Amino acid sequence: MSIAFVFPGQGAQTIGMGQALAETYPAARAVFDEVDEALGEKLSELIWTGEIETLTLTENAQPALMATSMAALAAMQAEGIGLDRASFVAGHSLGEYSALCAAGAVSLADTARLLRIRGRAMQAAVPVGQGAMAAVLGLDAETAAKVAEDAAQGDVCQLANENDPTQNVLSGSKAAIERAVVLAKEAGAKRALPLPVSAPFHCALMQPAADEMAKALEGVQFDNPAVPLVANVLADAESDATRIKALLVEQVTGRVRWRSSVEWMAAQGVTEFWEIGAGKALSGMIRRIAKESTMRAIGTPEDVVALKGA
Protein backbone atom coordinates (compact mmCIF):
# COMPACT_ATOMS: atom_id res chain seq x y z
CA MET A 1 0.00 0.00 0.00
CA SER A 2 1.35 3.40 -1.00
CA ILE A 3 -0.23 6.60 0.33
CA ALA A 4 -0.27 10.19 -0.96
CA PHE A 5 -1.10 13.10 1.34
CA VAL A 6 -3.15 15.64 -0.63
CA PHE A 7 -4.25 19.11 0.43
CA PRO A 8 -7.36 21.06 -0.66
CA GLY A 9 -7.53 24.38 -2.46
CA GLN A 10 -9.80 27.38 -2.42
CA GLY A 11 -13.52 26.69 -2.22
CA ALA A 12 -13.26 24.20 0.65
CA GLN A 13 -13.48 26.89 3.33
CA THR A 14 -16.28 26.80 5.92
CA ILE A 15 -16.85 28.68 9.14
CA GLY A 16 -15.75 26.49 12.03
CA MET A 17 -13.26 24.37 10.09
CA GLY A 18 -10.50 23.04 12.30
CA GLN A 19 -12.09 24.26 15.53
CA ALA A 20 -12.80 20.78 16.89
CA LEU A 21 -9.23 19.77 16.08
CA ALA A 22 -7.90 22.80 18.01
CA GLU A 23 -10.16 22.03 20.97
CA THR A 24 -9.09 18.37 21.04
CA TYR A 25 -5.38 18.52 20.22
CA PRO A 26 -3.04 21.15 21.73
CA ALA A 27 -0.70 20.64 18.75
CA ALA A 28 -3.50 21.64 16.38
CA ARG A 29 -4.30 24.71 18.47
CA ALA A 30 -0.62 25.66 18.33
CA VAL A 31 -0.80 25.69 14.53
CA PHE A 32 -3.59 28.28 14.52
CA ASP A 33 -1.77 30.32 17.18
CA GLU A 34 1.40 30.37 15.09
CA VAL A 35 -0.46 31.42 11.96
CA ASP A 36 -2.20 34.21 13.93
CA GLU A 37 1.18 35.43 15.16
CA ALA A 38 2.76 35.24 11.70
CA LEU A 39 -0.02 37.35 10.18
CA GLY A 40 -0.36 39.71 13.14
CA GLU A 41 -4.09 39.13 13.44
CA LYS A 42 -6.58 36.61 14.81
CA LEU A 43 -7.29 34.70 11.63
CA SER A 44 -8.46 31.81 13.81
CA GLU A 45 -11.36 33.92 15.11
CA LEU A 46 -12.45 34.66 11.55
CA ILE A 47 -12.21 30.95 10.68
CA TRP A 48 -14.27 29.81 13.65
CA THR A 49 -16.77 32.60 14.31
CA GLY A 50 -16.53 35.07 11.43
CA GLU A 51 -18.62 35.71 8.33
CA ILE A 52 -18.21 33.32 5.40
CA GLU A 53 -18.05 36.26 2.97
CA THR A 54 -14.96 37.59 4.76
CA LEU A 55 -13.36 34.17 5.08
CA THR A 56 -13.92 33.55 1.38
CA LEU A 57 -11.88 36.62 0.41
CA THR A 58 -8.83 35.19 -1.35
CA GLU A 59 -6.36 36.80 1.05
CA ASN A 60 -8.09 35.11 3.98
CA ALA A 61 -9.15 31.79 2.47
CA GLN A 62 -5.67 30.84 1.34
CA PRO A 63 -3.86 31.01 4.72
CA ALA A 64 -6.99 29.77 6.52
CA LEU A 65 -7.22 26.58 4.48
CA MET A 66 -3.51 25.96 4.88
CA ALA A 67 -3.77 26.44 8.66
CA THR A 68 -6.64 23.96 8.84
CA SER A 69 -4.68 21.39 6.86
CA MET A 70 -1.62 21.81 9.05
CA ALA A 71 -3.77 21.53 12.19
CA ALA A 72 -5.16 18.23 10.92
CA LEU A 73 -1.63 17.03 10.20
CA ALA A 74 -0.51 18.08 13.69
CA ALA A 75 -3.40 16.09 15.16
CA MET A 76 -2.36 13.07 13.11
CA GLN A 77 1.20 13.40 14.36
CA ALA A 78 -0.08 13.61 17.95
CA GLU A 79 -1.66 10.20 17.36
CA GLY A 80 1.61 8.82 15.98
CA ILE A 81 0.65 9.08 12.30
CA GLY A 82 3.39 11.03 10.56
CA LEU A 83 4.74 12.07 7.19
CA ASP A 84 6.63 8.78 6.99
CA ARG A 85 3.32 7.21 5.88
CA ALA A 86 3.35 9.25 2.65
CA SER A 87 5.12 8.39 -0.59
CA PHE A 88 4.16 11.74 -2.14
CA VAL A 89 2.53 15.03 -1.19
CA ALA A 90 0.41 17.16 -3.52
CA GLY A 91 -2.06 20.03 -3.27
CA HIS A 92 -4.63 21.72 -5.46
CA SER A 93 -3.42 25.27 -6.25
CA LEU A 94 -2.87 26.91 -2.82
CA GLY A 95 -2.87 23.36 -1.41
CA GLU A 96 0.57 22.97 -2.97
CA TYR A 97 1.87 25.36 -0.29
CA SER A 98 0.21 23.20 2.40
CA ALA A 99 1.90 20.15 0.89
CA LEU A 100 5.30 21.82 1.00
CA CYS A 101 4.79 22.96 4.58
CA ALA A 102 3.75 19.43 5.53
CA ALA A 103 6.88 18.04 3.90
CA GLY A 104 9.13 20.43 5.83
CA ALA A 105 10.21 22.47 2.81
CA VAL A 106 9.03 25.79 4.28
CA SER A 107 8.09 26.89 7.80
CA LEU A 108 4.49 27.30 8.90
CA ALA A 109 4.94 31.03 9.56
CA ASP A 110 6.53 31.64 6.16
CA THR A 111 3.81 29.61 4.44
CA ALA A 112 1.10 31.72 6.09
CA ARG A 113 2.81 34.97 5.06
CA LEU A 114 3.39 33.75 1.50
CA LEU A 115 -0.26 32.79 1.11
CA ARG A 116 -1.44 36.14 2.42
CA ILE A 117 0.79 37.83 -0.19
CA ARG A 118 -0.38 35.39 -2.86
CA GLY A 119 -4.04 35.98 -2.08
CA ARG A 120 -3.72 39.74 -2.19
CA ALA A 121 -1.59 39.70 -5.34
CA MET A 122 -3.99 37.41 -7.19
CA GLN A 123 -6.95 39.57 -6.22
CA ALA A 124 -5.19 42.78 -7.26
CA ALA A 125 -3.85 41.47 -10.59
CA VAL A 126 -7.10 42.06 -12.50
CA PRO A 127 -9.69 44.77 -11.78
CA VAL A 128 -12.94 43.34 -10.45
CA GLY A 129 -15.36 42.55 -13.27
CA GLN A 130 -12.75 42.26 -16.01
CA GLY A 131 -11.95 38.58 -15.50
CA ALA A 132 -14.00 35.44 -15.04
CA MET A 133 -13.84 31.66 -14.70
CA ALA A 134 -16.23 28.94 -15.84
CA ALA A 135 -16.65 25.26 -15.04
CA VAL A 136 -17.12 22.93 -17.98
CA LEU A 137 -18.64 19.53 -17.24
CA GLY A 138 -18.76 16.66 -19.65
CA LEU A 139 -15.82 17.52 -21.92
CA ASP A 140 -12.30 16.13 -21.69
CA ALA A 141 -9.36 18.46 -21.08
CA GLU A 142 -8.26 18.53 -24.71
CA THR A 143 -11.71 19.56 -25.93
CA ALA A 144 -12.05 22.15 -23.16
CA ALA A 145 -8.66 23.61 -24.11
CA LYS A 146 -9.80 23.86 -27.76
CA VAL A 147 -12.98 25.64 -26.61
CA ALA A 148 -10.82 28.15 -24.71
CA GLU A 149 -8.60 28.70 -27.74
CA ASP A 150 -11.58 29.30 -30.01
CA ALA A 151 -13.23 31.63 -27.50
CA ALA A 152 -10.16 33.83 -26.97
CA GLN A 153 -10.48 35.91 -30.14
CA GLY A 154 -7.62 38.15 -29.08
CA ASP A 155 -8.51 38.06 -25.38
CA VAL A 156 -7.11 35.72 -22.73
CA CYS A 157 -8.95 32.42 -22.33
CA GLN A 158 -7.19 29.32 -21.04
CA LEU A 159 -7.77 25.92 -19.51
CA ALA A 160 -6.96 26.70 -15.88
CA ASN A 161 -7.76 23.48 -14.02
CA GLU A 162 -8.09 19.91 -15.23
CA ASN A 163 -9.84 18.55 -12.17
CA ASP A 164 -11.04 15.12 -13.25
CA PRO A 165 -11.86 13.33 -16.53
CA THR A 166 -14.98 15.39 -17.22
CA GLN A 167 -14.59 18.49 -15.02
CA ASN A 168 -12.42 21.34 -16.26
CA VAL A 169 -12.23 25.05 -15.49
CA LEU A 170 -11.54 27.89 -17.92
CA SER A 171 -10.15 31.28 -16.95
CA GLY A 172 -9.63 34.59 -18.72
CA SER A 173 -11.23 37.86 -19.65
CA LYS A 174 -14.96 38.17 -18.93
CA ALA A 175 -15.98 38.49 -22.58
CA ALA A 176 -13.91 35.47 -23.62
CA ILE A 177 -15.32 33.31 -20.83
CA GLU A 178 -18.85 34.29 -21.86
CA ARG A 179 -18.04 33.13 -25.39
CA ALA A 180 -16.48 29.94 -24.02
CA VAL A 181 -19.63 29.02 -22.10
CA VAL A 182 -21.62 29.13 -25.35
CA LEU A 183 -18.96 27.23 -27.33
CA ALA A 184 -18.61 24.56 -24.66
CA LYS A 185 -22.32 23.78 -24.81
CA GLU A 186 -22.12 23.64 -28.59
CA ALA A 187 -19.18 21.19 -28.24
CA GLY A 188 -21.35 18.85 -26.17
CA ALA A 189 -20.69 19.92 -22.57
CA LYS A 190 -23.33 18.72 -20.14
CA ARG A 191 -22.99 22.01 -18.30
CA ALA A 192 -20.92 25.16 -18.70
CA LEU A 193 -21.43 27.83 -16.11
CA PRO A 194 -19.61 30.91 -14.77
CA LEU A 195 -18.08 30.47 -11.31
CA PRO A 196 -18.61 32.92 -8.43
CA VAL A 197 -14.93 33.86 -8.12
CA SER A 198 -13.33 37.22 -7.55
CA ALA A 199 -10.54 36.94 -10.13
CA PRO A 200 -9.46 34.84 -13.15
CA PHE A 201 -6.96 32.51 -11.51
CA HIS A 202 -4.36 30.37 -13.33
CA CYS A 203 -4.24 32.27 -16.60
CA ALA A 204 -1.97 34.84 -18.23
CA LEU A 205 -3.92 37.72 -16.64
CA MET A 206 -2.31 36.68 -13.34
CA GLN A 207 1.20 37.66 -14.52
CA PRO A 208 1.42 40.66 -12.11
CA ALA A 209 0.72 38.24 -9.24
CA ALA A 210 3.34 35.82 -10.55
CA ASP A 211 5.90 38.65 -10.59
CA GLU A 212 5.01 39.56 -7.00
CA MET A 213 5.29 35.95 -5.86
CA ALA A 214 8.70 35.64 -7.48
CA LYS A 215 9.91 38.54 -5.34
CA ALA A 216 8.26 37.19 -2.19
CA LEU A 217 9.70 33.71 -2.65
CA GLU A 218 13.21 35.07 -3.13
CA GLY A 219 13.34 36.11 0.52
CA VAL A 220 12.06 32.84 2.01
CA GLN A 221 14.14 29.84 3.03
CA PHE A 222 13.09 26.66 1.23
CA ASP A 223 14.55 23.22 1.88
CA ASN A 224 14.16 20.07 -0.17
CA PRO A 225 10.88 18.41 0.90
CA ALA A 226 11.20 15.25 2.98
CA VAL A 227 8.67 13.63 0.62
CA PRO A 228 8.56 14.38 -3.13
CA LEU A 229 6.04 17.01 -4.22
CA VAL A 230 3.85 16.19 -7.22
CA ALA A 231 3.71 19.70 -8.68
CA ASN A 232 0.56 21.16 -10.22
CA VAL A 233 2.17 22.42 -13.41
CA LEU A 234 4.30 19.29 -13.97
CA ALA A 235 2.05 16.42 -12.90
CA ASP A 236 5.34 14.85 -11.87
CA ALA A 237 7.49 14.65 -8.75
CA GLU A 238 10.00 17.33 -7.77
CA SER A 239 12.28 17.41 -4.73
CA ASP A 240 14.67 20.26 -5.51
CA ALA A 241 13.89 23.38 -3.46
CA THR A 242 15.18 25.84 -6.07
CA ARG A 243 13.15 24.21 -8.82
CA ILE A 244 10.06 24.12 -6.58
CA LYS A 245 10.25 27.89 -6.03
CA ALA A 246 10.24 28.41 -9.81
CA LEU A 247 7.27 26.05 -10.17
CA LEU A 248 5.31 28.00 -7.54
CA VAL A 249 5.77 31.15 -9.62
CA GLU A 250 4.79 29.31 -12.80
CA GLN A 251 1.73 27.91 -11.02
CA VAL A 252 0.15 31.37 -10.64
CA THR A 253 -0.43 31.67 -14.39
CA GLY A 254 -0.19 27.97 -15.24
CA ARG A 255 -2.60 25.08 -15.39
CA VAL A 256 -3.47 23.05 -12.30
CA ARG A 257 -2.99 19.58 -13.74
CA TRP A 258 -4.82 17.75 -10.97
CA ARG A 259 -6.20 14.88 -13.05
CA SER A 260 -2.78 14.22 -14.56
CA SER A 261 -1.14 14.46 -11.14
CA VAL A 262 -3.46 11.84 -9.63
CA GLU A 263 -3.02 9.59 -12.67
CA TRP A 264 0.77 9.91 -12.30
CA MET A 265 0.66 9.01 -8.59
CA ALA A 266 -1.59 6.03 -9.26
CA ALA A 267 0.86 4.87 -11.94
CA GLN A 268 3.63 5.01 -9.31
CA GLY A 269 1.65 2.61 -7.14
CA VAL A 270 -0.31 4.98 -4.89
CA THR A 271 -3.42 3.14 -3.74
CA GLU A 272 -4.65 5.51 -0.99
CA PHE A 273 -5.13 9.27 -1.05
CA TRP A 274 -5.51 11.04 2.30
CA GLU A 275 -7.16 14.45 1.92
CA ILE A 276 -5.89 16.45 4.88
CA GLY A 277 -7.86 19.55 5.87
CA ALA A 278 -11.25 21.03 5.04
CA GLY A 279 -13.86 19.30 2.94
CA LYS A 280 -13.90 16.33 0.60
CA ALA A 281 -13.69 17.97 -2.83
CA LEU A 282 -10.40 16.32 -3.77
CA SER A 283 -11.67 12.92 -2.69
CA GLY A 284 -14.58 13.30 -5.10
CA MET A 285 -12.25 14.21 -7.95
CA ILE A 286 -9.83 11.38 -7.17
CA ARG A 287 -12.68 8.87 -7.04
CA ARG A 288 -13.47 9.79 -10.66
CA ILE A 289 -9.80 9.64 -11.72
CA ALA A 290 -8.31 6.63 -9.93
CA LYS A 291 -11.37 4.46 -9.47
CA GLU A 292 -9.55 1.60 -7.74
CA SER A 293 -8.01 3.88 -5.08
CA THR A 294 -9.14 4.39 -1.49
CA MET A 295 -9.88 7.93 -0.26
CA ARG A 296 -9.81 9.22 3.30
CA ALA A 297 -10.80 12.77 4.24
CA ILE A 298 -9.18 13.92 7.49
CA GLY A 299 -10.64 17.11 8.92
CA THR A 300 -12.09 16.23 12.33
CA PRO A 301 -10.84 14.52 15.52
CA GLU A 302 -12.99 11.51 14.60
CA ASP A 303 -11.29 11.28 11.22
CA VAL A 304 -7.88 11.36 12.91
CA VAL A 305 -8.76 8.64 15.40
CA ALA A 306 -10.13 6.47 12.59
CA LEU A 307 -6.70 6.55 10.98
CA LYS A 308 -5.12 4.69 13.87
CA GLY A 309 -6.22 1.39 12.40
CA ALA A 310 -5.34 2.30 8.84
Side-chain angles (χ1 to χ4, degrees):
M1 181 180 69
S2 180
I3 299 169
F5 286 8
V6 298
F7 299 87
Q10 207 158 323
Q13 66 275 0
T14 58
I15 296 298
M17 62 183 183
Q19 186 170 9
L21 289 167
E23 291 170 349
T24 306
Y25 294 96
R29 177 72 209 213
V31 167
F32 287 106
D33 289 344
E34 186 172 345
V35 169
D36 286 351
E37 184 176 351
L39 298 179
E41 64 182 71
K42 287 286 188 181
L43 184 65
S44 59
E45 290 185 1
L46 170 60
I47 298 169
W48 297 335
T49 62
E51 298 294 329
I52 188 62
E53 293 80 10
T54 306
L55 179 61
T56 297
L57 292 173
T58 303
E59 65 181 69
N60 294 326
Q62 295 201 23
L65 285 161
M66 181 278 299
T68 303
S69 288
M70 293 306 98
L73 185 65
M76 290 166 55
Q77 291 168 336
E79 295 286 4
I81 304 161
L83 187 68
D84 60 320
R85 298 292 299 274
S87 298
F88 301 100
V89 295
H92 192 284
S93 191
L94 82 89
E96 193 155 87
Y97 285 77
S98 303
L100 288 165
C101 185
V106 59
S107 73
L108 176 62
D110 280 339
T111 306
R113 287 188 286 262
L114 283 169
L115 285 173
R116 172 54 57 82
I117 293 168
R118 184 177 183 268
R120 287 177 173 167
M122 292 174 82
Q123 184 60 63
V126 180
V128 174
Q130 291 190 15
M133 299 181 77
V136 176
L137 309 180
L139 297 181
D140 60 33
E142 292 72 21
T143 306
K146 180 65 166 58
V147 165
E149 181 183 342
D150 291 345
Q153 298 179 23
D155 294 327
V156 171
C157 191
Q158 295 172 226
L159 176 57
N161 300 355
E162 45 166 81
N163 285 334
D164 67 38
T166 61
Q167 182 192 121
N168 297 282
V169 176
L170 308 183
S171 183
S173 68
K174 188 172 186 293
I177 292 298
E178 289 172 350
R179 291 191 292 269
V181 166
V182 174
L183 291 175
K185 291 175 182 175
E186 292 175 355
K190 292 180 181 177
R191 293 182 72 192
L193 63 162
L195 293 174
V197 296
S198 56
F201 305 125
H202 298 292
C203 75
L205 295 175
M206 288 285 110
Q207 189 57 50
D211 295 341
E212 189 159 343
M213 287 311 298
K215 294 175 186 174
L217 286 159
E218 277 180 11
V220 175
Q221 173 65 38
F222 267 64
D223 297 317
N224 295 341
V227 173
L229 171 78
V230 180
N232 283 184
V233 296
L234 290 181
D236 200 345
E238 183 57 70
S239 293
D240 179 76
T242 301
R243 176 69 179 138
I244 285 169
K245 277 191 176 184
L247 292 173
L248 289 174
V249 175
E250 187 178 340
Q251 185 223 64
V252 178
T253 58
R255 185 184 305 178
V256 177
R257 300 180 63 195
W258 187 252
R259 173 184 57 82
S260 300
S261 295
V262 172
E263 289 174 345
W264 185 90
M265 287 185 277
Q268 309 312 305
V270 171
T271 55
E272 288 201 13
F273 293 85
W274 292 9
E275 181 174 4
I276 301 172
K280 299 180 180 180
L282 296 186
S283 295
M285 294 177 196
I286 293 166
R287 192 169 285 111
R288 293 186 288 272
I289 301 166
K291 295 182 174 63
E292 303 303 315
S293 300
T294 300
M295 272 64 67
R296 295 178 183 270
I298 304 150
T300 68
E302 293 76 18
D303 296 334
V304 174
V305 171
L307 282 179
K308 294 174 77 171

